[in-house]
């Protein structure tokens, strides 16, 4: 099982990534406002992030 990844700041705004069989779901939360997009194909998201990631 892959658990959701949640990142938040001091104001409790959050970015959450959740993976299921359909793909990756991205949720942004700020105060009482929330927006979710998805599913995004896992391979597409990995391809988009790859240039910004380094292995050192």
């Amino acid at each position: 099982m892959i658990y959701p990844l949640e990142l938040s700041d001091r104001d409790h705004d959050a970015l959450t990534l959740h993976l299921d069989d359909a793909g990756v779901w991205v949720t942004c939360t700020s105060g009482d406002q929330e927006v979710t997009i998805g599913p995004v194909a896992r391979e597409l998201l990995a391809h988009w992030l790859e240039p910004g990631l380094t292995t050192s």
Side-chain angles (χ1 to χ4, degrees):
M1 174 177 203
I2 299 175
Y3 294 97
L5 169 67
E6 181 170 312
L7 306 170
S8 61
D9 64 14
R10 292 180 186 183
D11 296 328
H12 304 288
D13 298 329
L15 173 68
T16 305
L17 300 174
H18 175 80
L19 176 65
D20 66 14
D21 291 338
V24 179
W25 297 85
V26 181
T27 302
C28 297
T29 307
S30 180
D32 63 350
Q33 302 292 312
E34 180 177 291
V35 63
T36 299
I37 63 165
V40 178
R42 184 179 184 173
E43 296 78 16
L44 179 62
L45 188 59
H47 177 73
W48 183 77
L49 290 172
E50 186 177 26
L53 302 176
T54 60
T55 56
S56 53

